[in-house]
Amino acid sequence: MAVTGLIMIAFLLMHMYGNLKLFLGPEAFDHYAHWLKGATEDGGILYPVLPAGWFIWIFRFVLVLSVILHIWSAASLVLATRARQGDKYVTRKTKAQTYSARTMRWGGVIIAVFLVFHLIQFTIIPGSFGGNADEPHTMVVAGFEQWWMVALYAVAMVLVVMHVRHGFWSAFTTLGGNTSSRAASVLNGLAWIVAVVLYVGFMIMPLAVLFGVI
Amino acid sequence: MTAPTTTPAAAVPATANQYWIDGADIADTKAPADVPIDKVWQSRQFQAKLVNPANRRKLSIIVVGTGLAGGAAAATLGEAGYNVLNFCYQDSPRRAHSIAAQGGINAAKNYRNDNDSTYRLFYDTVKGGDYRARETNVYRLAEVSANIIDQCVAQGVPFAREYGGLLDTRSFGGVQVQRTFYARGQTGQQLLIGVYQQLERQIAAGTVKMYARHEMVELIVVDGRARGIVTRNMVNGKVETWTADAVVLATGGYGNVFFLSTNAMGCNVTASWRAHRKGAYFGNPCYTQIHPTCIPVHGETQSKLTLMSESLRNDGRIWVPKKAEDCAKDPRQLAEEDRDYYLERIYPSFGNLVPRDIASRQAKNMCDEGRGVGPAVKEIDENGNERQVRRGVYLDFSDAINRLGQKAVEAKYGNLFDMYQQITGENPYEVPMRIYPAVHYTMGGLWVDYDLQSSITGLYVTGEANFSDHGANRLGASALMQGLADGYFVLPNTINDYLAGAPFDKLGEDHPAVVEARESAQARIDKLLSIQGTRSVDSFHKELGHIMWEYCGMERTEEGLTKAIGLIRALKEEYWSNVRVTGVNEDFNQALERAGRVADFFELGELMCIDALHRRESCGGHFRAESQTEEGEAMRHDDEFLYVGAWEWGGEGSKPVLHREPLNYKAIELKQRSYK
Amino acid sequence: MKLKLRIWRQAGPEAAGRMVEYDLDGVSEDMSFLEMLDLLNENLTNRNEEPVAFDHDCREGICGMCGVVINGVAHGAPEGVRTTTCQLHMRSFADGATIDIEPWRAGAFPVLKDLAVDRGAFDRIIQAGGFISSNTGSAPDAHSTPAPKREADLAFDNATCIGCGACVAACPNSSAMLFTAAKITHLAMLPQGQPERYARVKSMVAAHDEEGFGNCTNIGECAAVCPKGIPLESISQLNRDLIGSLFKADGK
């Protein structure tokens, strides 16, 4: 769970970085999107180590596998816990649990639903919310010109970064990186930084589209 | 304060023999008598018969108790290959009360190069015990002390270390060498966890079978040999019998006879007392250690007392108001001239650092005069009337804070101050602490020989439950040492001498002795449940505690002890006709558990008073007001009392029989204790 | 002080339990929480009702036998305080307060009666490897192996665990990882603990799971209620050793 989570966090950071290409103009953005798919004349990313177009499929495969394994471990954890919990307390007060830790499970499910929506919009049925697949920037612009779309993403991203905040710290703890109180504060700080960077990085572009900066 | 007198041993009271019968002298026959003291253990180990490793598998041993003495014995015997059955009343062996010891554990390692040696540790322990311990046993204790440290370190006990990675030691309890190993203020906990880990390892290996939440309620004796025990399962009430080739009791001390003590709530004398009633002699029951620096009683609902390190007396000044009417006032408002620094006044040279027993007695005297401080607590006076008495004296750090600064005081005593604040809700940096003495340790216990075998063949007793090593007073940091010495190194090397004659006949559930033990245990339980009187078990226990504390506590007199015996007998009679035990046996019934323990405390309490009455001298923790020097110090009478008082159960309603084991000091010269 | 207590009463492991209300008068603020329960039990006995069963022994915060959930918090410590139930005092409560008292609840800690639970699973986790295999008599001199002070102190911090089970009671997943990790870290930080270090972590974690404790999701409730301040970091040390053990051939 920790490993797959960290893979996805790494992907999110890369995804966010890619999104910011839109500020360099539609061509740069489209070129980047095509390059990822190996559809540029130079053969795209990692060509010639890999044949053109292979990278994106390997990449997708790893990501999908991560998502599946992540959900599978989460589900088995939840089921195991259910089986092992005693009776519920009549009164219960939490002392340490953060809001993000408490929302990991339901938040995760909602994020999964959002992910499906997001993939439909941009990958599976590209252009389903306007724009055309050959010029990816048009899909982005068409989507985020709608205020409700931006609002939806804004809310969903809150869930995502909360999940990342606890997930990042938790993953490193699980992997044995949190063995002193100093390490704990460093990890917590990093988790916050990653979460904030992701949120700002992801939301700045849709907002720019909405307000017509791009 | 009682008028100081110098007396020979108080004259034999005319009433004495209405309480006991004199029996024949006894002696330890196991320690080789013809060798120098430093060869005694070695030669005993060589003489003792051995059990072939292949035969050990065929032998079984019952160990009752899982503290340092019991757990260590069970684990070590398990390692040796015996089948061990281990019992404890707690829910896990890790909870035994050894865990609460704070200070440290002595060992004659001489790591400090400060002239320590086995002989010096031996000497200090005998002297500290006021020359009432058996020389050979104490020497052996000092001898094996060094092995204990090695053993514990190998098990992963995290003793305090210095930056070089080597073990740190400190001096403790007024000893001039630094021989005390420690683990912050939790040495007992760390040592017990070490024992517990070894024990769990043997449980996993299958050599030890652990029965937690099982309380021993009877001993099974067959043809003069201890062959098993009867237990009550504390979860479902099942009364069960267990048989083996030998039985080891490591059931701790009996300080809870006073109701309030620093012992755990469950500590009790039942296992020892059941054995005593079946023929095991009880040695020196009156030797009780009372510790001067405990947190005082807050009210009638107080359930136990908490000890604070004695080191506090190094910097704190002890006082009470001069006038009784000032006792309820805020101590900070009292002018210097209205305060009575009574220890500094009475003992100008030693001041606040007088020995434990003197500090304790004087605190009691001040409160008896009506000059105690803190909340008033209800008591019953000698005429049976209720009275309100404040039981506490101030331990004031304001001078130390002014002199050294709060920082320095905090560095030295911070954890103790925090503990005090948590319990009392008062900030000792601002308001003087209140302290009062409390029962802490019982030096007496079942009589054992050099092999730790009691007067019942096949019954061994280790740790605080036996009487052997501390004489009339125990030095700091030596209880842990004794428990582990007995459990790891002594018993496993002596019990083989007895087991070499085993296995004994298998006993069926229907053997008459087994049936008798089970039925008598069951009958006692049924009787307790059937009384259905009007008073709770605790109310009786508290009343017994008051009697013991008043008359058999810090200061004992012939008159008081005689009176106490009468009071205890009357209370015991009322108990057996008026106690109310709710619920049924076949259940998790804590009232019933306590009822059985308190029933035995009555009989023990009576014997303690008789022992204290018969010993017309003061020694160590036993202070007879009739036998003191002009300075009010304990005065021994070696000519008459240089012996162990080993009491034989005389039968229900009959007098106990006193057997004397004369003490022979060959390696140490007898001296009167002096703090001049 | 006058209190309204709502206490979980359950006749036995199989019986259904429920919260029962009691009014208790005459409580002093100097009483410990368990002395308050003693007083209730004395009153119940006088009314010929059955007293409330609860585990306790040393009453000085070290044996680990006591422990109940007070107003939803294991051991009931107020903010900023670390304590066992026995060292909690009534001055932490207001006069007239309602106090909910429940047993530890976890699948691996079945209720025996009222507030008493069976924590035998902890002993079995230790049996799986929470020790150093060193028979009595076989030890070298204590000074033969120096232990660096920093690690020795860390070992000590973890060795202060009293096995009370508050960590399990507070954990939303009923996990005993903090308990297990404290023992792992204690022994892993000492030179004497090295030979069995990786085999130990494997078998103890396996025993932990077999006993029916839940999984750790690094929430931190355990460390927040631990009366001895065992930190969450110990669990990370356990994880580190567990990952390390994947690359060692010894152990299960």
Side-chain angles (χ1 to χ4, degrees), chain B residues 111 196 200 304 536 580, chain C residues 42 45 60 123 127 141 183:
Chain B
Y111 279 161
Y196 164 72
E200 291 298 340
K304 81 150 278 160
S536 72
R580 174 185 285 171
Chain C
E42 188 74 8
T45 307
E60 41 189 289
D123 292 331
Q127 278 160 34
D141 185 88
K183 187 49 64 198

Side-chain angles (χ1 to χ4, degrees), chain B residues 604-671:
Chain B
L604 167 77
E606 186 181 324
L607 185 66
M608 285 172 74
C609 291
I610 293 174
D611 185 40
L613 184 65
H614 114 277
R615 190 170 282 276
R616 289 166 292 102
E617 65 161 352
S618 299
C619 57
H622 169 63
F623 187 84
R624 278 288 295 266
E626 298 94 339
S627 179
Q628 54 182 311
T629 64
E630 280 178 18
E631 292 82 26
E633 287 218 32
M635 193 149 101
R636 287 199 328 260
H637 292 287
D638 295 335
D639 48 337
E640 263 193 87
F641 294 102
L642 191 59
Y643 62 79
V644 173
W647 295 89
E648 184 187 352
W649 174 248
E652 197 74 63
S654 304
K655 296 172 204 167
V657 182
L658 172 65
H659 299 276
R660 296 175 176 84
E661 182 205 332
L663 292 167
N664 303 310
Y665 285 100
K666 292 194 241 169
I668 281 184
E669 186 197 347
L670 282 167
K671 280 188 185 146

